[in-house]
Amino acid sequence: ELYSKAKLAPEVRYSQERNYLAIASPSHALYTFATNPFWLKLFTTYFFEKGGVIPPGWTEVFESYIKEKLQRERVRKHIPELVADSTLEIWKAIAYGTLEANRGTYFVAGSVSELPTLDSSATGRIRQALEIGVSCGLILRDKDDSLRFEHHRILEYLAATYWESSAVAAVRRDQL
């Protein structure tokens, strides 16, 4: 399926050859994707989903990967688009709140609503977002019932996007 004409046509393969070789250079911005198994997974997912297009940078790869996982789960479980959108915002708030509270990369479902980045009265919505995250594989549940994002770079990306879009960023930028 990944090699079908719709995903990766021969003309796309040929026209992108120079770009592929450039990534093998340590000075290329996407070089790290080729040297880390998790990042390579993200890169190839983006590459095949976009029909052989090389991503312009990391941001697009992370965004595409997360949104694709959420979209597949949304279709599979018939989740309304509005719920999917708020789920992504909750994941961002959890990621930022977890890092801001110096909790490392692990969190417990029951204590997530205590994070200052989330509305503690929305526990049902938070629980639903966590369940969607576990179901689509973006959030992993360990044997001790603690939760964590699939990879610490996913946590960092989500936290950064939360920070970038929040009032916290504006305040801290003013302090620079």
Side-chain angles (χ1 to χ4, degrees):
E1 175 189 339
L2 288 176
Y3 296 102
S4 68
K5 186 169 184 162
K7 293 282 185 185
L8 189 57
E11 59 273 11
V12 173
R13 285 185 292 211
Y14 178 76
S15 66
Q16 293 286 357
E17 185 175 346
R18 285 183 299 158
N19 291 333
Y20 308 150
L21 294 173
I23 293 172
S25 168
S27 62
H28 195 280
L30 296 173
Y31 176 74
T32 55
F33 277 108
T35 60
N36 178 294
F38 181 74
W39 291 359
L40 187 57
K41 171 185 161 184
L42 296 183
F43 180 85
T44 55
T45 300
Y46 181 95
F47 179 81
F48 284 113
E49 289 299 322
K50 303 296 182 188
V53 174
I54 302 262
W58 298 13
T59 302
E60 294 80 7
V61 174
F62 284 121
E63 181 179 328
S64 174
Y65 181 75
I66 292 166
K67 286 186 175 179
E68 177 63 28
K69 283 193 134 194
L70 184 56
Q71 176 62 20
R72 269 188 275 140
E73 194 64 14
R74 189 176 88 70
V75 169
R76 190 171 75 85
K77 291 203 171 177
H78 308 289
I79 299 168
E81 192 168 341
L82 188 59
V83 171
D85 291 343
S86 68
T87 294
L88 183 56
E89 294 307 311
I90 290 171
W91 291 345
K92 291 176 182 180
I94 290 169
Y96 183 81
T98 300
L99 290 179
E100 186 75 4
N102 291 321
R103 294 187 179 181
T105 58
Y106 288 86
F107 51 93
V108 179
S111 66
V112 166
S113 61
E114 298 168 11
L115 293 171
T117 54
L118 291 168
D119 178 3
S120 60
S121 66
T123 55
R125 189 60 210 100
I126 295 166
R127 186 173 41 255
Q128 182 183 27
L130 291 172
E131 288 170 6
I132 291 170
V134 169
S135 182
C136 77
L138 194 72
I139 297 174
L140 305 176
R141 185 180 310 274
D142 288 339
K143 291 178 184 176
D144 65 355
D145 218 26
S146 64
L147 301 169
R148 63 183 172 88
F149 285 95
E150 179 180 12
H151 194 276
H152 68 94
R153 295 288 184 215
I154 298 288
L155 170 85
E156 292 166 354
Y157 169 78
L158 289 169
T161 57
Y162 177 87
W163 181 83
E164 189 176 56
S165 66
S166 72
V168 175
V171 170
R172 293 203 177 150
R173 280 189 204 120
D174 289 342
Q175 295 171 352
L176 295 176

